[in-house]
Amino acid sequence: MTILQLKYIIAIDEECSMRRAADRLYVSQPGLSSAVRDLENELGIQIFERVHNGVVTTPAGASFIAYARSAVEQFEKVEEKYLNASGHKPTFSVSMQHYTIAVNAFIETVKEFDLEEYQYYIRETQTSEVIEDVKTLKSEVGVIALSDFNKNTFKKIFADASLEFHELFTRNTYLYLSSHHPLADKEVISLDELEDYPCMVFDQGDNTSFYYREEALATYDYKKIISTNERATSIELMLGLNGYAVGAAMLGDSLNSNEIKAIKLKEEENLTFGYIIRKGAHLSEMAQAFVDKLSENA
């Protein structure tokens, strides 16, 4: 099995056609078919099923291709970092849950390095994808917050994925709501007082388990919930519908944050902020600077 064979089957899967994949790869169709046949014989599975207008990927093939994509991505990162380093722009990638404090740390890090050329990536995404990105080396660092409720569960998830969690700081629970909200003048608010207003939570895709929720008090039985996938939308809904969010450091200096108030929540649960990296990995200079900025912003 070779990386080239893996690139071949990925192209075929994407094109759903041997002919189009061969054209894209600049190889002959017979040569491509022969490479696939050799790989199928070696693996003992059928990756593609030939149909009258192309090919379709078999269930066994789809499972294998998922691993193939990960292997090719990691191989290309090794190529980029070590084999072609002189010809490539400096790169840095970080994945994070929806916390402005992490975005601000990223901005400060980029300004500090101030390179003429660079290629940076920042992914604000679901909890499971933060973990997967670091596991597969798509990102060097993942920023994540653990609650008292899910901390032990995630320690096992990190261990199974060969990841390390490094704690940075802990914060208590606050409510975020519009400065014009009917309860905005209170110093402390209980969740019972908010049952007639919608709670904003971040969508976690297929991982509907409470353990993957970014917000504190994930198991509370909220009467009204609106799920969103980005902070800007969540803020606009909070402003327009008198909604609220439960967490810590969610807004910072973000869009419309001057119209949002943070108020102490009566029901308490700590959120522990930190970052994940591959087990045994050493942070690059830029990653270390990012982590330092993240801790300073606390």
Side-chain angles (χ1 to χ4, degrees):
M1 186 190 311
T2 66
I3 288 292
L4 188 58
Q5 284 176 310
L6 299 186
K7 290 181 177 180
Y8 283 176
I9 65 167
I10 291 171
I12 296 168
D13 178 64
E14 291 174 347
E15 298 291 343
C16 298
S17 165
M18 287 282 187
R19 178 184 58 78
R20 289 196 297 270
D23 291 343
R24 169 176 152 184
L25 296 164
Y26 300 103
V27 298
S28 69
Q29 187 172 336
L32 183 61
S33 297
S34 177
V36 172
R37 188 164 53 250
D38 289 344
L39 183 59
E40 288 179 325
N41 290 337
E42 180 181 353
L43 297 174
I45 63 172
Q46 183 179 0
I47 300 174
F48 301 108
E49 181 179 347
R50 282 67 176 173
V51 294
H52 71 282
N53 60 345
V55 297
V56 295
T57 305
T58 66
S63 177
F64 177 74
I65 289 172
Y67 286 102
R69 289 185 193 279
S70 177
V72 170
E73 285 177 2
Q74 294 189 44
F75 177 80
E76 290 175 346
K77 285 183 178 294
V78 171
E79 278 190 317
E80 180 178 312
K81 186 173 180 65
Y82 295 103
L83 300 183
N84 305 315
S86 61
H88 282 265
K89 301 173 184 178
T91 62
F92 172 62
S93 181
V94 58
S95 295
M96 60 184 68
Q97 292 175 322
H98 302 79
Y99 292 107
T100 304
I101 190 172
V103 178
N104 291 339
F106 184 87
I107 291 170
E108 292 176 15
T109 304
V110 171
K111 287 181 177 179
E112 179 180 308
F113 279 75
D114 192 27
L115 300 174
E116 290 186 6
E117 294 187 28
Y118 55 75
Q119 190 167 349
Y120 300 149
Y121 302 88
I122 180 169
R123 282 170 48 80
E124 193 175 76
T125 187
Q126 298 166 354
T127 303
S128 60
E129 290 187 353
V130 175
I131 295 170
E132 186 66 18
D133 285 353
V134 179
K135 177 183 176 182
T136 60
L137 303 180
K138 182 176 289 185
S139 288
E140 183 177 358
V141 178
V143 180
I144 200 165
L146 308 180
S147 66
D148 293 339
F149 168 68
N150 65 18
K151 185 181 293 186
N152 289 333
T153 298
F154 270 105
K155 284 181 179 179
K156 183 178 187 307
I157 291 172
F158 296 152
D160 291 343
S162 296
L163 301 176
E164 298 174 351
F165 177 75
H166 295 262
E167 181 177 333
L168 292 174
F169 54 89
T170 298
R171 287 190 173 177
N172 213 315
T173 317
Y174 280 78
L175 287 171
Y176 297 93
L177 41 71
S178 167
S179 57
H180 304 292
H181 193 284
L183 301 176
D185 292 333
K186 295 177 71 70
E187 292 185 3
V188 179
I189 301 177
S190 70
L191 289 174
D192 287 342
E193 295 176 87
L194 290 159
E195 67 173 10
D196 290 332
Y197 305 101
C199 178
M200 306 297 151
V201 300
F202 287 114
D203 177 55
Q204 296 298 331
D206 294 334
N207 288 292
T208 57
S209 169
F210 291 132
Y211 290 106
Y212 280 84
R213 286 267 291 271
E214 299 178 32
E215 300 80 13
L217 301 168
T219 57
Y220 182 82
D221 187 18
Y222 295 94
K223 186 176 178 181
K224 300 177 180 179
I225 289 182
I226 298 178
S227 295
T228 70
N229 58 11
E230 63 171 7
R231 282 180 294 115
T233 300
S234 182
I235 293 169
E236 292 301 324
L237 290 170
M238 289 162 65
L239 295 173
L241 297 174
N242 277 333
Y244 67 95
V246 178
M250 191 189 81
L251 297 173
D253 298 324
S254 64
L255 181 68
N256 294 120
S257 60
N258 59 318
E259 300 182 57
I260 301 293
K261 291 188 66 174
I263 299 176
K264 188 72 182 69
L265 182 65
K266 182 178 180 180
E267 294 83 356
E268 295 186 347
E269 183 177 40
N270 288 325
L271 284 173
T272 300
F273 287 77
Y275 64 94
I276 53 174
I277 58 174
R278 291 278 297 182
K279 188 175 182 179
H282 296 284
L283 291 176
S284 66
E285 183 182 3
M286 191 164 191
Q288 185 61 59
F290 170 75
V291 168
D292 292 342
K293 297 291 184 186
L294 188 62
S295 185
E296 290 170 8
N297 283 334

